[in-house]
Amino acid sequence: MSMTLYLGTKNYSSWSLRPWLAARKAAIKFDEIIIDFDQPDTKSRILEVSPSGKVPVLIHKELKIWDSLAICEYFAEIEPQLWPEQSDLRAIARSVSAEMHSGFMAIRNEMGMNVKAKHRKVTLTNQAQEELLRIDQIWTGLRQQYHAQGNWLFGKFSIADAMFAPVVIRLKAYTVKTSPTMQAYVETFYNDSAFLEWINDAEQDTLIVPRLECGQV
Ligand SMILES: N[C@@H](CCC(=O)N[C@@H](CS)C(=O)NCC(=O)O)C(=O)O
């Protein structure tokens, strides 16, 4: 029996993108079912499959996994190359992934993921600006250390890249200050066929959810 990944609307669902991209990059096969946000039956459809009432959820036989990072970890048990091979690098990759998973609230609120938005104007709070600087620090530090091994944070693609993928989309959606290293890392994603598959799907979404729209066109 194959695995089924339940996702939110691709244009907006940052948490759904992360495990979806990890699975695609590791060539793990899965079926996907999208539950669009803010429809009359959204809540009941999500609750049918997800004990937390949130997506993403992975269903594999009797097992339900209902959190993006936990799903990524499950994929890494199937395809261990989703984390760096060296244990100290794995620990750092898990640290930056957990930092993303549990933080950056101002960026999430003020720059909601929106694939179809382009160069929108936003006035960021100091907290959001500080969070962007912290992301620059993480990306620049890792790119400087591992550039010889490839274009992802640790050279080869890992779950850490999947965790930051929605930030990359936000940097295209909103006009904010970025460093050359950030720009180069953004381009790495926009040259990746798996990531572009999500982008193309999301560009076809016709649903507009006003509460998830940020910035001025
Ligand atoms: N910590 C969870 C967060 C999941 C989450 O917040 N999902 C949002 C969408 S991205 C959701 O399901 N919202 C329900 C709704 O908007 O109806 C994870 O990492 O998976």
Side-chain angles (χ1 to χ4, degrees):
M1 189 182 161
S2 65
M3 292 191 270
T4 304
L5 188 56
Y6 287 80
L7 309 164
T9 308
K10 282 188 167 176
N11 188 44
Y12 300 111
S13 190
S14 58
W15 294 112
S16 300
L17 166 58
R18 293 164 166 122
W20 184 96
L21 185 61
R24 270 287 188 277
K25 292 294 290 174
I28 293 170
K29 288 198 170 62
F30 61 93
D31 296 321
E32 66 180 61
I33 294 180
I34 292 173
I35 303 179
D36 271 325
F37 292 142
D38 288 37
Q39 303 304 296
D41 61 349
T42 301
K43 196 151 191 64
S44 61
R45 285 187 69 201
I46 295 180
L47 279 169
E48 257 171 45
V49 288
S50 169
S52 67
K54 300 219 183 282
V55 282
V57 184
L58 181 74
I59 299 197
H60 190 198
K61 299 179 189 155
E62 302 303 310
L63 181 64
K64 276 184 187 172
I65 312 172
W66 61 86
D67 177 274
S68 58
L69 193 50
I71 299 169
C72 287
E73 287 284 7
Y74 189 68
F75 290 148
E77 289 188 31
I78 301 167
E79 294 292 348
Q81 78 273 14
L82 277 169
W83 287 119
E85 204 178 332
Q86 228 178 285
S87 86
D88 54 347
L89 299 196
R90 258 201 321 279
I92 301 296
R94 283 201 167 101
S95 295
V96 296
S97 298
E99 185 176 345
M100 179 72 243
H101 192 243
S102 60
F104 301 104
M105 300 303 175
I107 288 180
R108 286 188 210 166
N109 291 335
E110 296 169 38
M111 300 170 64
M113 190 183 99
N114 188 332
V115 174
K116 292 168 77 175
K118 300 286 178 291
H119 311 296
R120 288 195 187 173
K121 290 187 185 63
V122 271
T123 307
L124 298 180
T125 58
N126 287 345
Q127 196 194 330
Q129 289 175 38
E130 279 165 25
E131 289 177 6
L132 278 176
L133 287 176
R134 172 63 189 144
I135 288 175
D136 188 11
Q137 186 183 47
I138 294 171
W139 290 2
T140 300
L142 292 170
R143 291 306 304 127
Q144 277 170 358
Q145 266 188 291
Y146 303 110
H147 67 274
Q149 283 82 42
N151 293 333
W152 301 101
L153 290 178
F154 291 84
K156 285 190 341 191
F157 181 90
S158 76
I159 287 169
D161 300 292
M163 292 307 290
F164 282 106
V167 176
V168 163
I169 292 172
R170 289 168 159 106
L171 295 182
K172 287 268 189 198
Y174 307 100
T175 303
V176 293
K177 211 165 152 237
T178 50
S179 69
T181 309
M182 286 173 108
Q183 280 308 323
Y185 184 57
V186 167
E187 289 319 311
T188 296
F189 280 83
Y190 280 87
N191 284 311
D192 181 79
S193 58
F195 178 76
L196 288 176
E197 188 188 332
W198 179 283
I199 296 296
N200 290 335
D201 290 351
E203 297 276 8
Q204 312 302 317
D205 280 341
T206 51
L207 179 70
I208 294 177
V209 180
R211 75 178 167 94
L212 299 174
E213 293 285 327
C214 304
Q216 288 188 319
V217 183

